Amino acid sequence: EYYYIYPDAVSTRKQILHSNRLHHEWQETIVLHQPGTRPEENMELDALTWGNTAGEAKTYTWKRGEHDDGKLRDATIQIVNLKSKNRPFIIFEPDSGLKLMRCCVEEQWCHFPWWNHWPVSQLPNDGRRTGVPDRPAHSSLAQSIEDSPIIKHDKEAGTFTAVSLYGMSEKSVVGLVPLAKSWNYPAKLNLAGNSFCSQGYDKYQRAYVLTCKNNGNPSTLKFKLAASEDSPVVNPAFVIKGWGEGEAGLKVNGKPVKCGKSFRFGYRHTLESSDLIVWLKKETAEPVRISLSPRGD
């Protein structure tokens, strides 16, 4: 299942496994290669960077004879160093069990593992190494989450669930630290008044979830996000269940914010209600006061 909060170039990826066993490959970092291109044309030889919320980073190379596979403590940020302006990143929950994939390198052909049995294959097989770029191919760099304590087990439903945050960015590990903290350690939402109730922060939607007690007839919603250096706010999103189909006006720290590049909203219609979804462009490590009013109030 995928959830997108527009217009950020980030999304959460929620995987649900129906099984009676935990062992499962939840995530594998795979780079796809178009026909006519080699892995070295698409990736830097220093292909993978891991980082933590302290801003520490370690980059791993696939240069022959230069491997240093020592682990970085508490790594939760991963950047794939493609030869591109924006590079894909993943933010993991703590203890996601990140590990490198060093297998199957044919050094006479390539610095990286290089297979062309997937994503396009002419015959069923479980792995076909290649040395020529005549077909679509892929390289695998790392894995995570497998047998990790972060996997949530619902015995009654017979499911295992895991989640991580994906995106594209020009930022380094240091630049991604606030986003990682805001997702793994979200600022607490403190409500004012009793016309709404809060379900807290939902990592699967990367949003705070609230409910209007008077379905379809909201009053002004006021709350404070207790942002700090350890729990910053980075472009937060809010799902207000039961708001109805009316528009909303926004104030941040008492100042009106026009709908546009810094404030956007839309609706999610369900059988029970029409829900308001709000996105705010705001990055801060200081507490911030927010109010949403039915348009016209």
Side-chain angles (χ1 to χ4, degrees):
E1 298 182 24
Y2 297 86
Y3 298 85
Y4 295 93
I5 301 297
Y6 182 84
D8 268 344
V10 295
S11 67
T12 55
R13 184 164 187 257
K14 177 183 180 182
Q15 292 190 20
I16 301 175
L17 173 69
H18 291 267
S19 175
N20 60 357
R21 55 194 289 269
L22 175 63
H23 190 76
H24 174 72
E25 184 182 73
W26 292 87
Q27 186 275 334
E28 181 175 339
T29 299
I30 300 175
V31 178
L32 304 184
H33 311 298
Q34 292 287 350
T37 67
R38 302 175 59 84
E40 290 88 348
E41 296 176 80
N42 300 319
M43 299 181 288
E44 304 290 351
L45 292 181
D46 299 336
L48 196 72
T49 299
W50 284 340
N52 59 29
T53 53
E56 299 170 330
K58 183 176 178 64
T59 296
Y60 297 89
T61 187
W62 271 255
K63 294 176 184 176
R64 297 186 183 105
E66 297 187 22
H67 297 171
D68 174 7
D69 291 352
K71 287 193 174 182
L72 176 73
R73 66 182 181 91
D74 302 324
T76 55
I77 301 169
Q78 175 180 286
I79 300 173
V80 179
N81 297 318
L82 300 183
K83 293 185 175 181
S84 60
K85 181 179 179 180
N86 288 284
R87 297 181 171 186
F89 69 82
I90 305 175
I91 294 172
F92 297 98
E93 293 185 287
D95 300 319
S96 287
L98 281 63
K99 61 182 180 181
L100 296 172
M101 292 186 66
R102 291 291 196 187
C103 67
C104 306
V105 176
E106 299 289 349
E107 292 189 354
Q108 72 273 26
W109 294 337
C110 185
H111 290 84
F112 297 96
W114 189 12
W115 297 276
N116 65 7
H117 66 274
W118 185 85
V120 176
S121 180
Q122 295 174 337
L123 294 172
N125 60 81
D126 62 356
R128 183 176 186 272
R129 302 175 200 177
T130 187
V132 292
D134 59 337
R135 294 167 57 183
H138 73 277
S139 298
S140 296
L141 301 178
Q143 291 175 306
S144 68
I145 303 178
E146 187 175 21
D147 293 342
S148 165
I150 71 164
I151 300 169
K152 297 173 179 62
H153 183 197
D154 186 334
K155 292 183 179 180
E156 185 174 336
T159 62
F160 296 95
T161 305
V163 63
S164 45
L165 184 69
Y166 288 65
M168 298 279 289
S169 178
E170 299 177 57
K171 294 179 178 179
S172 65
V173 164
V174 171
L176 291 171
V177 164
L179 178 62
K181 287 182 176 180
S182 74
W183 187 67
N184 274 317
Y185 313 105
K188 185 178 179 180
L189 187 150
N190 296 311
L191 269 174
N194 56 11
S195 297
F196 295 82
C197 59
S198 172
Q199 284 80 59
Y201 188 80
D202 184 353
K203 295 184 78 170
Y204 299 126
Q205 299 186 69
R206 204 178 74 85
Y208 293 90
V209 180
L210 304 102
T211 299
C212 176
K213 293 181 180 179
N214 191 6
N215 193 351
N217 187 25
S219 58
T220 297
L221 167 62
K222 295 182 179 182
F223 57 87
K224 182 173 75 173
L225 295 178
S228 65
E229 290 292 338
D230 292 331
S231 298
V233 165
V234 178
N235 300 342
F238 309 93
V239 177
I240 301 100
K241 297 179 180 178
W243 179 274
E245 299 184 15
E247 295 186 349
L250 173 70
K251 290 183 179 179
V252 177
N253 292 330
K255 297 180 180 180
V257 180
K258 290 184 179 180
C259 190
K261 291 184 178 180
S262 297
F263 161 48
R264 300 186 182 186
F265 66 85
Y267 303 92
R268 179 180 64 190
H269 303 292
T270 71
L271 294 176
E272 293 79 19
S273 65
S274 291
D275 307 333
L276 181 71
I277 300 177
V278 174
W279 177 86
L280 171 62
K281 185 177 183 180
K282 180 73 174 178
E283 183 169 341
T284 181
E286 300 291 334
V288 57
R289 293 178 290 108
I290 294 174
S291 68
L292 283 164
S293 302
R295 188 63 61 85
D297 283 15

